[in-house]
Amino acid sequence: MKMRMAGVAMAVVGCLGSGSMAAEFELRQGLDIFDDNQSSVDALHSLTLLRELRPGLHFGQSLYSAAAGDGGGLFLGGFELLWRQRLSASTALEFGGFIGGGGGAFVVEGDGFMTRAHVTLNRRLTPTLSGTLGLSYTDITGSQVSAPAISLGFSKDLNLALSYGRGHSGAPLAGDTVIKAIKPIIRSVDPQGSTGRNGSDLDRMTTLGAELTFASGNNARGEVFMQALGAAEGGGEGYAEWQLGYRWLTADAGLRAFAEFGAGFAGGGDVDTGGGLIGSVGGGVVVPITRGFEAEFGAIALAAADGDFRAIAPFVRGSLTFGGAAGGGDAKPRQWQYSTGLTLQRETDDFRHPGSDQSGDPLLIETSLDLFLTDRTYFTGNAQTVVAGDAGGYAIGQLGLGHEFPLTPRWTLAVEGFVGAAGGGGIDTGGGLSGGARMELDYALSERLKLSGGIGVMQSRGGADPVTLHLGIKAPFTTFH
Protein backbone atom coordinates (compact mmCIF):
# COMPACT_ATOMS: atom_id res chain seq x y z
CA MET A 1 0.00 0.00 0.00
CA LYS A 2 2.85 2.39 0.84
CA MET A 3 4.42 2.08 -2.61
CA ARG A 4 1.05 2.44 -4.34
CA MET A 5 0.37 5.63 -2.38
CA ALA A 6 3.65 7.21 -3.45
CA GLY A 7 3.07 6.15 -7.06
CA VAL A 8 -0.41 7.69 -7.25
CA ALA A 9 0.73 10.98 -5.76
CA MET A 10 3.74 11.29 -8.06
CA ALA A 11 1.65 10.50 -11.13
CA VAL A 12 -0.29 13.66 -10.35
CA VAL A 13 2.85 15.73 -9.77
CA GLY A 14 4.20 14.48 -13.09
CA CYS A 15 1.46 16.48 -14.82
CA LEU A 16 3.15 19.72 -13.70
CA GLY A 17 5.93 21.39 -15.62
CA SER A 18 7.64 20.74 -18.91
CA GLY A 19 10.95 21.28 -20.64
CA SER A 20 14.48 20.50 -19.55
CA MET A 21 15.78 23.90 -18.52
CA ALA A 22 17.14 24.41 -14.99
CA ALA A 23 14.38 25.33 -12.56
CA GLU A 24 14.43 27.53 -9.44
CA PHE A 25 11.65 25.48 -7.83
CA GLU A 26 11.19 21.81 -6.98
CA LEU A 27 8.01 20.06 -5.91
CA ARG A 28 9.01 17.02 -3.90
CA GLN A 29 7.02 14.13 -2.45
CA GLY A 30 8.51 11.62 -0.07
CA LEU A 31 7.71 8.73 2.22
CA ASP A 32 9.46 8.09 5.56
CA ILE A 33 8.98 4.46 6.63
CA PHE A 34 9.80 4.05 10.31
CA ASP A 35 11.85 1.01 11.30
CA ASP A 36 9.84 0.23 14.45
CA ASN A 37 6.26 0.47 15.71
CA GLN A 38 6.76 2.78 18.67
CA SER A 39 3.62 4.79 17.78
CA SER A 40 0.41 4.50 15.76
CA VAL A 41 2.19 6.12 12.80
CA ASP A 42 4.12 3.68 10.58
CA ALA A 43 5.01 6.18 7.85
CA LEU A 44 4.92 9.91 7.06
CA HIS A 45 4.26 11.39 3.64
CA SER A 46 5.82 14.75 2.81
CA LEU A 47 4.93 17.41 0.25
CA THR A 48 7.66 20.05 -0.15
CA LEU A 49 8.14 23.11 -2.33
CA LEU A 50 11.80 24.19 -2.49
CA ARG A 51 13.47 27.22 -4.03
CA GLU A 52 17.18 27.44 -4.73
CA LEU A 53 18.57 30.45 -2.86
CA ARG A 54 22.08 30.03 -4.26
CA PRO A 55 23.86 27.13 -5.95
CA GLY A 56 23.41 24.05 -3.77
CA LEU A 57 21.34 25.74 -1.02
CA HIS A 58 17.57 25.21 -1.08
CA PHE A 59 14.86 26.55 1.26
CA GLY A 60 11.14 25.85 1.35
CA GLN A 61 8.12 24.63 3.26
CA SER A 62 6.84 21.12 3.87
CA LEU A 63 3.63 19.46 4.97
CA TYR A 64 4.03 16.05 6.63
CA SER A 65 1.00 13.73 6.86
CA ALA A 66 0.46 10.34 8.50
CA ALA A 67 0.50 7.81 5.66
CA ALA A 68 0.32 4.34 7.23
CA GLY A 69 -0.63 2.80 10.56
CA ASP A 70 -3.53 4.28 12.53
CA GLY A 71 -2.63 7.97 12.75
CA GLY A 72 -4.67 9.40 9.88
CA GLY A 73 -5.15 13.09 10.56
CA LEU A 74 -1.63 13.78 11.84
CA PHE A 75 -0.43 16.90 9.98
CA LEU A 76 2.76 18.86 10.61
CA GLY A 77 3.96 21.92 8.72
CA GLY A 78 7.10 24.01 8.78
CA PHE A 79 10.37 24.98 7.12
CA GLU A 80 12.85 22.88 5.15
CA LEU A 81 16.54 23.64 4.50
CA LEU A 82 18.66 21.48 2.20
CA TRP A 83 22.26 21.49 0.97
CA ARG A 84 22.93 19.55 -2.27
CA GLN A 85 26.45 18.44 -3.12
CA ARG A 86 26.81 17.34 -6.74
CA LEU A 87 28.69 14.02 -7.15
CA SER A 88 28.24 13.74 -10.92
CA ALA A 89 26.05 15.19 -13.67
CA SER A 90 23.11 13.00 -12.59
CA THR A 91 23.82 12.21 -8.92
CA ALA A 92 23.97 14.36 -5.79
CA LEU A 93 24.19 13.92 -2.03
CA GLU A 94 21.81 15.99 0.11
CA PHE A 95 21.95 17.02 3.77
CA GLY A 96 18.87 18.66 5.19
CA GLY A 97 16.63 19.42 8.11
CA PHE A 98 13.05 20.37 8.96
CA ILE A 99 11.63 22.39 11.84
CA GLY A 100 7.91 22.81 12.42
CA GLY A 101 4.97 21.32 14.23
CA GLY A 102 1.38 20.15 14.34
CA GLY A 103 -0.41 17.01 15.49
CA GLY A 104 -3.82 15.38 15.27
CA ALA A 105 -5.55 12.00 15.53
CA PHE A 106 -4.61 11.77 19.24
CA VAL A 107 -0.98 11.05 18.27
CA VAL A 108 0.40 14.19 19.96
CA GLU A 109 -0.50 15.09 23.54
CA GLY A 110 2.06 17.87 24.12
CA ASP A 111 3.45 20.72 22.06
CA GLY A 112 3.72 18.97 18.69
CA PHE A 113 7.13 20.48 17.88
CA MET A 114 8.81 18.42 15.12
CA THR A 115 12.41 18.19 13.95
CA ARG A 116 13.74 15.98 11.18
CA ALA A 117 17.27 15.47 9.82
CA HIS A 118 18.22 13.47 6.74
CA VAL A 119 20.95 12.45 4.36
CA THR A 120 19.69 11.59 0.88
CA LEU A 121 21.01 10.34 -2.44
CA ASN A 122 19.40 12.20 -5.36
CA ARG A 123 19.49 10.59 -8.83
CA ARG A 124 18.30 12.35 -11.99
CA LEU A 125 15.86 10.05 -13.87
CA THR A 126 14.69 12.40 -16.65
CA PRO A 127 15.55 16.04 -17.48
CA THR A 128 12.92 17.23 -14.94
CA LEU A 129 12.36 14.26 -12.58
CA SER A 130 14.64 12.87 -9.87
CA GLY A 131 14.37 9.93 -7.48
CA THR A 132 15.59 10.07 -3.88
CA LEU A 133 16.65 7.45 -1.33
CA GLY A 134 18.01 8.18 2.13
CA LEU A 135 17.98 7.88 5.90
CA SER A 136 16.21 10.27 8.25
CA TYR A 137 15.42 10.76 11.92
CA THR A 138 12.18 12.37 13.13
CA ASP A 139 11.21 13.56 16.61
CA ILE A 140 7.81 15.00 17.61
CA THR A 141 7.58 16.33 21.17
CA GLY A 142 4.57 15.17 23.15
CA SER A 143 4.28 11.99 21.10
CA GLN A 144 5.89 8.56 20.79
CA VAL A 145 7.31 9.45 17.37
CA SER A 146 11.10 9.54 17.78
CA ALA A 147 12.73 7.13 15.36
CA PRO A 148 14.91 6.66 12.29
CA ALA A 149 13.31 5.96 8.93
CA ILE A 150 14.09 4.87 5.40
CA SER A 151 13.15 7.74 3.11
CA LEU A 152 12.25 7.54 -0.57
CA GLY A 153 10.61 9.94 -2.97
CA PHE A 154 10.57 11.90 -6.19
CA SER A 155 11.36 15.51 -7.06
CA LYS A 156 9.86 17.44 -10.00
CA ASP A 157 11.44 20.60 -11.41
CA LEU A 158 8.99 23.46 -11.87
CA ASN A 159 9.54 26.37 -14.25
CA LEU A 160 6.97 28.70 -12.73
CA ALA A 161 6.06 31.75 -14.81
CA LEU A 162 6.82 34.50 -12.31
CA SER A 163 9.10 37.35 -11.39
CA TYR A 164 9.96 38.75 -7.97
CA GLY A 165 8.90 42.00 -6.39
CA ARG A 166 5.95 44.28 -7.15
CA GLY A 167 5.52 44.76 -10.90
CA HIS A 168 7.35 42.77 -13.55
CA SER A 169 9.77 42.71 -16.41
CA GLY A 170 9.74 40.32 -19.32
CA ALA A 171 7.29 37.49 -19.97
CA PRO A 172 7.18 33.77 -19.27
CA LEU A 173 8.54 31.21 -21.70
CA ALA A 174 6.00 29.12 -23.62
CA GLY A 175 5.48 25.85 -21.78
CA ASP A 176 6.07 27.26 -18.29
CA THR A 177 3.75 26.08 -15.54
CA VAL A 178 1.22 28.78 -14.62
CA ILE A 179 -1.38 29.23 -11.92
CA LYS A 180 -4.71 28.88 -13.72
CA ALA A 181 -7.19 29.76 -10.96
CA ILE A 182 -7.75 30.06 -7.23
CA LYS A 183 -10.98 28.49 -5.95
CA PRO A 184 -12.66 28.89 -2.54
CA ILE A 185 -14.65 25.74 -1.66
CA ILE A 186 -17.61 24.87 0.58
CA ARG A 187 -18.40 21.17 0.79
CA SER A 188 -21.07 19.19 2.64
CA VAL A 189 -19.68 15.79 3.68
CA ASP A 190 -22.34 13.10 4.24
CA PRO A 191 -20.76 9.92 5.72
CA GLN A 192 -22.14 6.69 4.28
CA GLY A 193 -22.48 4.30 7.22
CA SER A 194 -19.11 5.34 8.66
CA THR A 195 -18.28 5.15 12.34
CA GLY A 196 -15.84 7.37 14.20
CA ARG A 197 -12.88 6.48 16.35
CA ASN A 198 -15.20 6.36 19.39
CA GLY A 199 -17.45 3.78 17.69
CA SER A 200 -20.49 6.03 17.11
CA ASP A 201 -21.94 6.96 13.71
CA LEU A 202 -20.33 9.97 12.07
CA ASP A 203 -22.52 13.02 11.60
CA ARG A 204 -22.64 15.16 8.48
CA MET A 205 -20.09 17.97 8.46
CA THR A 206 -19.39 21.09 6.45
CA THR A 207 -15.82 21.75 5.30
CA LEU A 208 -14.31 25.00 4.04
CA GLY A 209 -11.13 25.48 2.05
CA ALA A 210 -9.56 26.45 -1.23
CA GLU A 211 -7.57 25.07 -4.13
CA LEU A 212 -4.97 26.26 -6.60
CA THR A 213 -5.12 24.91 -10.15
CA PHE A 214 -2.22 24.77 -12.58
CA ALA A 215 -1.86 24.44 -16.35
CA SER A 216 1.12 23.61 -18.51
CA GLY A 217 1.62 24.36 -22.18
CA ASN A 218 -1.58 25.05 -24.15
CA ASN A 219 -3.81 22.42 -22.53
CA ALA A 220 -6.89 24.48 -21.58
CA ARG A 221 -9.08 21.41 -21.00
CA GLY A 222 -7.00 19.86 -18.27
CA GLU A 223 -5.75 21.17 -14.94
CA VAL A 224 -3.82 19.89 -11.96
CA PHE A 225 -5.30 20.93 -8.63
CA MET A 226 -4.03 21.14 -5.07
CA GLN A 227 -6.74 21.63 -2.43
CA ALA A 228 -7.02 21.78 1.37
CA LEU A 229 -10.14 21.86 3.56
CA GLY A 230 -11.05 21.75 7.25
CA ALA A 231 -14.23 21.06 9.21
CA ALA A 232 -16.19 24.17 10.12
CA GLU A 233 -19.53 22.72 11.27
CA GLY A 234 -21.13 19.42 12.26
CA GLY A 235 -19.51 16.34 13.76
CA GLY A 236 -15.99 16.79 12.44
CA GLU A 237 -14.27 19.41 14.63
CA GLY A 238 -10.53 18.93 14.08
CA TYR A 239 -10.91 17.13 10.72
CA ALA A 240 -8.72 18.29 7.82
CA GLU A 241 -7.76 17.00 4.40
CA TRP A 242 -5.60 17.85 1.41
CA GLN A 243 -5.51 16.32 -2.06
CA LEU A 244 -3.64 16.53 -5.34
CA GLY A 245 -5.62 15.66 -8.44
CA TYR A 246 -6.41 16.11 -12.09
CA ARG A 247 -9.54 17.55 -13.73
CA TRP A 248 -10.79 17.15 -17.33
CA LEU A 249 -13.14 19.75 -18.87
CA THR A 250 -15.37 19.29 -21.92
CA ALA A 251 -14.63 22.72 -23.43
CA ASP A 252 -12.11 25.55 -23.16
CA ALA A 253 -14.64 28.09 -21.87
CA GLY A 254 -18.32 28.75 -21.31
CA LEU A 255 -20.81 26.37 -19.75
CA ARG A 256 -19.06 23.01 -19.54
CA ALA A 257 -18.84 19.77 -17.59
CA PHE A 258 -15.86 18.29 -15.78
CA ALA A 259 -14.67 15.04 -14.22
CA GLU A 260 -11.91 14.77 -11.62
CA PHE A 261 -9.98 12.42 -9.40
CA GLY A 262 -7.71 13.08 -6.44
CA ALA A 263 -5.58 11.44 -3.80
CA GLY A 264 -4.20 12.77 -0.55
CA PHE A 265 -4.43 12.52 3.21
CA ALA A 266 -7.13 13.27 5.77
CA GLY A 267 -8.30 12.70 9.32
CA GLY A 268 -8.48 14.32 12.71
CA GLY A 269 -11.21 14.77 15.27
CA ASP A 270 -13.31 11.62 15.49
CA VAL A 271 -13.01 10.75 11.77
CA ASP A 272 -11.36 7.35 11.29
CA THR A 273 -9.22 7.40 8.15
CA GLY A 274 -6.90 4.62 9.33
CA GLY A 275 -3.41 5.42 8.11
CA GLY A 276 -4.61 8.66 6.48
CA LEU A 277 -4.60 7.93 2.74
CA ILE A 278 -7.80 9.00 0.95
CA GLY A 279 -9.02 9.13 -2.64
CA SER A 280 -11.88 10.83 -4.44
CA VAL A 281 -13.67 10.81 -7.78
CA GLY A 282 -16.41 13.10 -8.98
CA GLY A 283 -17.67 15.65 -11.46
CA GLY A 284 -19.91 18.60 -12.10
CA VAL A 285 -20.50 21.69 -14.22
CA VAL A 286 -18.79 25.08 -14.62
CA VAL A 287 -21.08 28.12 -14.94
CA PRO A 288 -19.57 31.45 -16.11
CA ILE A 289 -20.72 34.39 -13.94
CA THR A 290 -18.64 37.39 -15.00
CA ARG A 291 -15.36 37.95 -16.77
CA GLY A 292 -12.71 36.21 -14.68
CA PHE A 293 -15.14 34.55 -12.27
CA GLU A 294 -17.01 31.24 -12.53
CA ALA A 295 -19.02 28.98 -10.22
CA GLU A 296 -18.56 25.22 -10.11
CA PHE A 297 -21.23 22.82 -8.84
CA GLY A 298 -20.61 19.11 -8.34
CA ALA A 299 -20.09 16.20 -5.99
CA ILE A 300 -17.37 13.68 -5.16
CA ALA A 301 -17.26 10.24 -3.60
CA LEU A 302 -14.60 10.29 -0.88
CA ALA A 303 -13.12 7.26 0.88
CA ALA A 304 -10.20 6.27 3.11
CA ALA A 305 -7.96 3.48 1.87
CA ASP A 306 -7.88 1.55 5.15
CA GLY A 307 -10.17 3.38 7.61
CA ASP A 308 -13.91 3.43 8.21
CA PHE A 309 -14.63 6.62 6.30
CA ARG A 310 -16.75 6.84 3.15
CA ALA A 311 -18.77 9.88 2.14
CA ILE A 312 -20.67 11.63 -0.62
CA ALA A 313 -19.75 15.29 -0.72
CA PRO A 314 -21.62 17.85 -2.85
CA PHE A 315 -19.76 21.14 -3.22
CA VAL A 316 -19.80 24.67 -4.58
CA ARG A 317 -16.57 26.31 -5.71
CA GLY A 318 -15.93 29.86 -6.78
CA SER A 319 -13.22 30.25 -9.41
CA LEU A 320 -11.06 33.35 -9.90
CA THR A 321 -9.62 32.44 -13.29
CA PHE A 322 -6.46 33.85 -14.87
CA GLY A 323 -6.65 32.51 -18.40
CA GLY A 324 -4.90 29.12 -18.24
CA ALA A 325 -2.03 28.17 -20.53
CA ALA A 326 1.27 30.00 -20.53
CA GLY A 327 1.58 32.71 -23.10
CA GLY A 328 4.30 34.64 -24.84
CA GLY A 329 4.80 38.36 -24.99
CA ASP A 330 1.09 39.07 -24.44
CA ALA A 331 0.95 37.21 -21.11
CA LYS A 332 -0.87 39.20 -18.43
CA PRO A 333 0.67 39.77 -14.99
CA ARG A 334 -1.00 39.14 -11.62
CA GLN A 335 0.32 40.52 -8.33
CA TRP A 336 0.72 38.14 -5.37
CA GLN A 337 2.34 38.10 -1.96
CA TYR A 338 3.76 35.15 -0.01
CA SER A 339 3.92 35.51 3.78
CA THR A 340 5.26 33.31 6.55
CA GLY A 341 6.00 33.74 10.22
CA LEU A 342 4.78 33.03 13.75
CA THR A 343 1.44 33.70 15.48
CA LEU A 344 0.96 33.69 19.24
CA GLN A 345 -2.57 33.21 20.61
CA ARG A 346 -3.20 34.49 24.13
CA GLU A 347 -5.11 31.87 26.10
CA THR A 348 -8.40 32.90 27.78
CA ASP A 349 -10.42 31.24 30.57
CA ASP A 350 -12.63 29.17 28.21
CA PHE A 351 -9.98 28.60 25.52
CA ARG A 352 -9.71 24.83 26.13
CA HIS A 353 -12.44 22.18 26.12
CA PRO A 354 -14.09 21.72 29.54
CA GLY A 355 -12.09 19.38 31.73
CA SER A 356 -8.81 19.90 29.89
CA ASP A 357 -5.72 20.03 32.11
CA GLN A 358 -3.59 21.60 29.36
CA SER A 359 -2.61 25.26 29.45
CA GLY A 360 -0.41 27.76 27.69
CA ASP A 361 -0.39 30.24 24.82
CA PRO A 362 -0.24 28.31 21.51
CA LEU A 363 2.52 29.38 19.12
CA LEU A 364 1.81 28.57 15.47
CA ILE A 365 3.74 28.67 12.21
CA GLU A 366 1.63 30.40 9.61
CA THR A 367 1.77 30.72 5.83
CA SER A 368 -0.36 33.03 3.68
CA LEU A 369 -0.83 33.56 -0.05
CA ASP A 370 -2.36 36.88 -1.11
CA LEU A 371 -3.82 37.53 -4.57
CA PHE A 372 -4.27 41.22 -5.38
CA LEU A 373 -7.68 41.93 -6.91
CA THR A 374 -6.83 45.64 -7.28
CA ASP A 375 -3.61 47.54 -6.70
CA ARG A 376 -4.19 47.43 -2.90
CA THR A 377 -7.09 45.02 -2.16
CA TYR A 378 -6.31 41.31 -1.99
CA PHE A 379 -7.86 37.90 -1.43
CA THR A 380 -5.92 35.89 1.16
CA GLY A 381 -5.61 32.26 2.19
CA ASN A 382 -3.87 31.37 5.45
CA ALA A 383 -2.84 28.10 7.12
CA GLN A 384 -1.38 27.61 10.62
CA THR A 385 0.02 24.64 12.57
CA VAL A 386 1.03 24.65 16.22
CA VAL A 387 4.65 24.28 17.42
CA ALA A 388 4.34 25.11 21.15
CA GLY A 389 1.83 25.86 23.90
CA ASP A 390 0.66 22.36 24.92
CA ALA A 391 -1.84 22.19 22.03
CA GLY A 392 -0.43 19.55 19.65
CA GLY A 393 -2.89 19.02 16.79
CA TYR A 394 -4.29 22.56 16.79
CA ALA A 395 -4.52 23.87 13.22
CA ILE A 396 -6.25 26.72 11.40
CA GLY A 397 -7.26 27.44 7.80
CA GLN A 398 -8.71 30.81 6.79
CA LEU A 399 -9.90 32.73 3.74
CA GLY A 400 -10.48 36.45 3.65
CA LEU A 401 -9.96 39.90 2.22
CA GLY A 402 -7.30 42.47 2.99
CA HIS A 403 -6.41 46.03 2.04
CA GLU A 404 -3.11 47.92 2.16
CA PHE A 405 -2.81 51.57 3.20
CA PRO A 406 0.58 53.05 2.17
CA LEU A 407 1.95 55.34 4.90
CA THR A 408 5.38 56.19 3.48
CA PRO A 409 7.46 54.73 0.62
CA ARG A 410 8.58 51.93 3.00
CA TRP A 411 5.81 51.63 5.62
CA THR A 412 2.40 50.07 4.90
CA LEU A 413 -0.59 49.30 7.11
CA ALA A 414 -2.56 46.17 6.13
CA VAL A 415 -6.02 45.28 7.49
CA GLU A 416 -7.53 41.80 7.03
CA GLY A 417 -10.81 40.06 7.82
CA PHE A 418 -11.26 36.31 7.48
CA VAL A 419 -13.43 33.25 8.04
CA GLY A 420 -12.35 29.62 8.19
CA ALA A 421 -12.00 26.44 10.20
CA ALA A 422 -9.98 25.75 13.36
CA GLY A 423 -9.75 22.89 15.80
CA GLY A 424 -7.74 20.14 17.43
CA GLY A 425 -5.32 20.14 20.36
CA GLY A 426 -8.07 20.46 22.96
CA ILE A 427 -8.96 24.00 21.81
CA ASP A 428 -12.70 24.70 22.07
CA THR A 429 -13.76 26.12 18.70
CA GLY A 430 -17.37 24.89 19.02
CA GLY A 431 -17.38 22.79 15.86
CA GLY A 432 -14.61 24.47 13.88
CA LEU A 433 -16.08 27.63 12.36
CA SER A 434 -13.91 30.65 13.14
CA GLY A 435 -13.40 34.20 11.98
CA GLY A 436 -11.63 37.37 12.92
CA ALA A 437 -9.55 40.33 11.86
CA ARG A 438 -6.05 41.73 12.24
CA MET A 439 -3.85 44.73 11.49
CA GLU A 440 -0.25 44.47 10.33
CA LEU A 441 2.47 47.08 9.96
CA ASP A 442 4.90 46.23 7.13
CA TYR A 443 8.36 47.65 6.51
CA ALA A 444 9.89 47.16 3.04
CA LEU A 445 13.51 46.09 3.22
CA SER A 446 13.51 45.95 -0.59
CA GLU A 447 11.09 45.45 -3.47
CA ARG A 448 11.25 41.72 -2.77
CA LEU A 449 11.01 41.51 1.02
CA LYS A 450 9.06 43.09 3.89
CA LEU A 451 9.14 42.69 7.66
CA SER A 452 5.69 42.47 9.22
CA GLY A 453 4.22 42.62 12.73
CA GLY A 454 0.66 42.88 13.90
CA ILE A 455 -2.19 42.21 16.30
CA GLY A 456 -5.59 40.64 15.78
CA VAL A 457 -8.58 38.83 17.26
CA MET A 458 -10.10 35.42 16.51
CA GLN A 459 -13.67 34.39 17.23
CA SER A 460 -15.23 30.92 17.32
CA ARG A 461 -18.48 29.33 18.45
CA GLY A 462 -16.67 27.81 21.43
CA GLY A 463 -14.53 29.49 24.06
CA ALA A 464 -11.54 30.05 21.75
CA ASP A 465 -11.61 33.83 21.26
CA PRO A 466 -7.96 34.81 21.64
CA VAL A 467 -6.04 38.00 20.93
CA THR A 468 -3.33 37.13 18.39
CA LEU A 469 0.16 38.56 17.87
CA HIS A 470 1.99 38.16 14.56
CA LEU A 471 5.59 38.45 13.35
CA GLY A 472 6.89 37.44 9.94
CA ILE A 473 8.10 38.31 6.46
CA LYS A 474 6.29 39.03 3.19
CA ALA A 475 7.60 38.51 -0.34
CA PRO A 476 5.72 40.12 -3.28
CA PHE A 477 5.88 38.41 -6.68
CA THR A 478 4.22 38.53 -10.10
CA THR A 479 2.82 35.64 -12.13
CA PHE A 480 2.04 35.59 -15.88
CA HIS A 481 -1.04 34.08 -17.55
Side-chain angles (χ1 to χ4, degrees):
M1 185 276 291
K2 296 174 183 176
M3 292 302 295
R4 182 172 69 251
M5 173 191 64
V8 169
M10 284 313 304
V12 175
V13 176
C15 299
L16 289 171
S18 62
S20 58
M21 58 189 292
E24 278 190 290
F25 293 91
E26 292 180 37
L27 185 63
R28 175 172 292 196
Q29 295 206 55
L31 192 67
D32 284 1
I33 305 170
F34 295 119
D35 71 344
D36 56 38
N37 296 315
Q38 89 284 10
S39 76
S40 60
V41 179
D42 294 338
L44 284 176
H45 173 274
S46 60
L47 180 69
T48 303
L49 182 64
L50 292 169
R51 178 178 176 247
E52 189 171 32
L53 301 180
R54 63 183 182 85
L57 184 63
H58 301 255
F59 174 80
Q61 289 193 272
S62 293
L63 175 65
Y64 288 82
S65 312
D70 193 30
L74 175 68
F75 297 106
L76 306 111
F79 305 107
E80 201 87 35
L81 188 66
L82 180 150
W83 172 259
R84 179 176 298 151
Q85 179 63 49
R86 187 67 60 185
L87 302 179
S88 69
S90 59
T91 306
L93 192 63
E94 299 175 348
F95 302 89
F98 168 88
I99 185 170
F106 308 105
V107 175
V108 178
E109 296 180 355
D111 289 338
F113 181 68
M114 173 178 161
T115 57
R116 176 182 180 270
H118 72 92
V119 56
T120 300
L121 187 67
N122 183 306
R123 176 74 176 181
R124 181 70 69 175
L125 304 176
T126 73
T128 61
L129 184 67
S130 299
T132 62
L133 177 65
L135 298 174
S136 64
Y137 194 97
T138 298
D139 181 82
I140 305 173
T141 61
S143 80
Q144 295 179 319
V145 179
S146 183
I150 297 173
S151 303
L152 54 92
F154 293 90
S155 182
K156 180 72 176 178
D157 291 349
L158 294 181
N159 295 311
L160 297 176
L162 60 80
S163 66
Y164 303 109
R166 199 79 184 258
H168 66 93
S169 60
L173 297 174
D176 277 356
T177 297
V178 299
I179 300 174
K180 185 177 180 181
I182 187 168
K183 303 182 181 184
I185 308 168
I186 181 169
R187 183 187 291 164
S188 177
V189 181
D190 185 10
Q192 302 295 297
S194 303
T195 56
R197 291 186 180 272
N198 65 4
S200 62
D201 292 340
L202 280 179
D203 295 331
R204 183 194 61 81
M205 59 183 168
T206 301
T207 57
L208 300 176
E211 74 172 35
L212 284 175
T213 63
F214 302 86
S216 183
N218 295 311
N219 182 12
R221 297 189 183 183
E223 58 190 32
V224 175
F225 64 82
M226 181 183 299
Q227 62 182 215
L229 300 97
E233 184 273 335
E237 181 181 329
Y239 171 83
E241 69 173 73
W242 72 265
Q243 293 192 70
L244 286 171
Y246 193 81
R247 185 174 296 125
W248 295 268
L249 298 106
T250 58
D252 295 351
L255 182 66
R256 57 203 186 277
F258 64 85
E260 65 181 52
F261 77 91
F265 300 90
D270 195 39
V271 180
D272 181 10
T273 57
L277 177 65
I278 61 167
S280 67
V281 61
V285 295
V286 181
V287 180
I289 305 298
T290 63
R291 181 178 177 83
F293 182 76
E294 299 175 321
E296 300 178 1
F297 304 90
I300 61 170
L302 182 67
D306 61 352
D308 188 16
F309 179 58
R310 299 169 302 279
I312 300 297
F315 60 81
V316 178
R317 288 193 293 253
S319 179
L320 299 168
T321 59
F322 307 139
D330 60 349
K332 297 180 179 179
R334 288 274 182 166
Q335 306 298 330
W336 301 74
Q337 187 166 251
Y338 162 81
S339 308
T340 190
L342 297 172
T343 295
L344 182 71
Q345 295 193 350
R346 299 306 305 270
E347 186 180 50
T348 57
D349 290 342
D350 300 321
F351 189 67
R352 311 273 176 162
H353 281 294
S356 173
D357 58 359
Q358 298 170 295
S359 64
D361 296 336
L363 181 67
L364 302 102
I365 291 176
E366 72 163 66
T367 299
S368 296
L369 190 63
D370 306 332
L371 167 64
F372 282 83
L373 307 176
T374 69
D375 189 48
R376 294 297 174 185
T377 301
Y378 56 91
F379 174 83
T380 183
N382 174 279
Q384 303 179 38
T385 55
V386 71
V387 294
D390 204 15
Y394 184 37
I396 303 170
Q398 302 166 338
L399 301 174
L401 289 173
H403 188 84
E404 292 184 341
F405 298 90
L407 303 178
T408 72
R410 288 189 178 270
W411 290 96
T412 301
L413 178 68
V415 179
E416 296 178 359
F418 50 83
V419 65
I427 309 302
D428 185 6
T429 59
L433 184 64
S434 66
R438 68 184 188 182
M439 292 190 303
E440 296 175 323
L441 189 61
D442 303 336
Y443 178 76
L445 297 173
S446 68
E447 292 183 355
R448 297 186 178 188
L449 190 66
K450 306 176 186 176
L451 292 179
S452 180
I455 187 170
V457 293
M458 179 181 131
Q459 299 289 318
S460 73
R461 287 197 247 179
D465 299 323
V467 172
T468 60
L469 303 173
H470 318 274
L471 182 65
I473 59 172
K474 297 182 177 181
F477 65 96
T478 302
T479 59
F480 302 87
H481 311 272

